[in-house]
Amino acid sequence: MRFFDEMHSADAAVRDHYQVYERWLARQAGAQMRARREEAEMIFRRVGITFAVYGDKDEDGSGTERLIPFDLIPRIIPAAEWREMEAGLRQRVTAMNRFLDDIYHDQEILKAGVIPAEPVLNNAQFRKEMMGLSVPDGIYAIIAGIDIVRACNPDGSGTYYVLEDNLRVPSGVSYMLENRKMTMRLFPELFAEHRVAPVAHYPDLLLDTLRAVAPASVNEPTAVVLTPGMHNSAYFEHAFLAQQMGVELVEGKDLFVKEDFVYMRTTRGPQRVDVIYRRVDDDFMDPEVFRKDSTLGVAGLLRAYRAGNVTLANAFGTGIADDKSIYPYVPKMIEFYLGEKPILQNVPTHICREPDALKYTLDNLADLVVKEVHGAGGYGMLVGPAATKAEIEDFRKVLLANPGNYIAQPTLSLSTCPTYVESGIAPRHIDLRPFVLSGKDVQMVPGGLTRVALKEGSLVVNSSQGGGTKDTWVLEE
């Protein structure tokens, strides 16, 4: 399989936007790079930048806390490429917010037959409780993380594809910010030689966005970050973002609803809360409506939300737009709501609940990636080319038992980027997660989180599956 190399063209020449960096890299001694990597690990460990891996259990049964490996070599994107990607992201997230507003109101896209009703209305992520509920400015996905990969074309050029949309509680932005701080600390001279677009203002942009979607009657809105607690895999990020924005980090037990308003318990008495940036899944958010046994949410929250007295980022029911069974229809959403052709392409997708697509998938399991429509984190999927015959046959039985639960895609030749590994510098596969904020405007900081599959040949970049991260540079003109 042929791969697009982010630094080198097909004839091994260094691409223009990497030339200054490549000359610098060639001058670095191996011992110096190893020392820098050890320094980065020491600092990340001291700061507490960890990720809980639930597959590995400590003695108390909780997930093992691990550092997400940080790679020293940045992924560099030229300005013109970023401009097109940014336009595509703005278009895509705008269309998905229009879809959510439509689905919970008039359902015109279903009536028009553009998307079949069954995978929407019978989907576990569709929340009937949201029907008829209008949210500020019609924005349901205030924070979105869109996973983008670059695949190699037959002529050696590369094409960006959207691999996945994350609109529920997208994570990883803290690593984007900390990676930049680390690169600037370890290699300050590089930023004198490159005009790298800044990302450090993301927390300010996030806070401005949250305040912009607060209930209209509030002049000085109070925002909080709602976390499930310190045992959550992304707790570091929850605490980090609250601290960076200068807002309170709260758990469900810190909030209560009275007369359809949300309040926070403080040492000075109850304080009204107007915007909740929630990092808790729908099912656990309001025990009056969803899971009765949840201790993570706030009883009565939906009542306050329905009364228009609090804004949730993101809205209940947003998951219907990022479910993998809906993903194949996003290009049609863009055309239906915006009257535009998609700027960013989808990966060709086979919807296994359709008989022809199921037959094709079963006939080609060894060559495809098959994913659970509700899955995340790299779990519950088959990567055909990396699977054994026994694993493929086991997966075939699972797929046949519930074909509607899966989609299949070709195994993309994810682009590679030079990565500092034990053996030295070697190519490893990467993706990119830009973070898109929708308030009065749709905004994002340049770049995002680049995830890297550290195992040689692996296409799975998820942190829970052993992946690492890189700093992402968007070069200014």
Side-chain angles (χ1 to χ4, degrees), residues 49 51-52 59 97 130 140 148-149 152 175 178 188 214 220 233 264 310 329 466:
I49 304 175
F51 184 90
E59 290 180 4
N97 269 313
M130 288 293 292
Y140 292 71
I148 294 177
V149 297
C152 191
Y175 303 103
E178 288 294 320
E220 292 291 331
S233 64
M264 169 174 50
V310 69
Y329 302 105

Side-chain angles (χ1 to χ4, degrees), residues 95-250:
M96 286 192 288
N97 269 313
R98 293 279 294 274
F99 166 73
L100 286 161
D101 194 54
D102 182 23
I103 277 306
Y104 289 118
H105 289 86
D106 297 331
Q107 302 184 344
E108 296 292 347
I109 200 166
L110 303 186
K111 294 172 184 173
V114 175
I115 298 178
E118 191 276 332
V120 176
L121 302 182
N122 293 335
N123 195 300
Q125 298 303 319
F126 177 76
R127 303 293 180 180
K128 65 183 185 300
E129 297 85 357
M130 288 293 292
M131 285 299 298
L133 195 162
S134 294
V135 302
D137 299 314
I139 300 168
Y140 292 71
I142 296 163
I143 301 113
I146 310 297
D147 292 346
I148 294 177
V149 297
R150 174 143 56 179
C152 191
N153 299 318
D155 64 357
S157 63
T159 298
Y160 285 116
Y161 292 91
V162 173
L163 185 65
E164 200 168 287
D165 303 296
N166 300 280
L167 308 185
R168 294 173 227 185
V169 283
S171 64
V173 74
S174 60
Y175 303 103
M176 173 190 80
L177 296 169
E178 288 294 320
N179 288 351
R180 175 61 54 83
K181 284 168 61 178
M182 184 61 70
T183 309
M184 294 179 78
R185 176 181 180 135
L186 296 178
F187 309 112
E189 69 276 15
L190 285 171
F191 292 87
E193 299 181 35
H194 297 83
R195 293 187 62 189
V196 181
V199 297
H201 59 295
Y202 176 86
D204 294 334
L205 205 60
L206 175 59
L207 184 57
D208 288 345
T209 301
L210 294 174
R211 286 177 170 162
V213 296
S217 59
V218 182
N219 293 324
E220 292 291 331
T222 296
V224 298
V225 177
L226 175 63
T227 177
M230 62 184 298
H231 296 297
N232 184 266
S233 64
Y235 180 74
F236 163 77
E237 176 159 294
H238 308 165
F240 174 88
L241 287 174
Q243 186 269 330
Q244 291 290 308
M245 287 191 290
V247 305
E248 293 294 333
L249 178 69
V250 299

Side-chain angles (χ1 to χ4, degrees), residues 143 166-172 234 237-238 277-282 313-314 322 433:
I143 301 113
N166 300 280
L167 308 185
R168 294 173 227 185
V169 283
S171 64
E237 176 159 294
H238 308 165
Y277 175 20
R278 52 116 173 186
R279 300 298 293 262
V280 177
D281 291 336
D282 282 3
N314 287 339
D322 76 3
R433 177 176 290 181

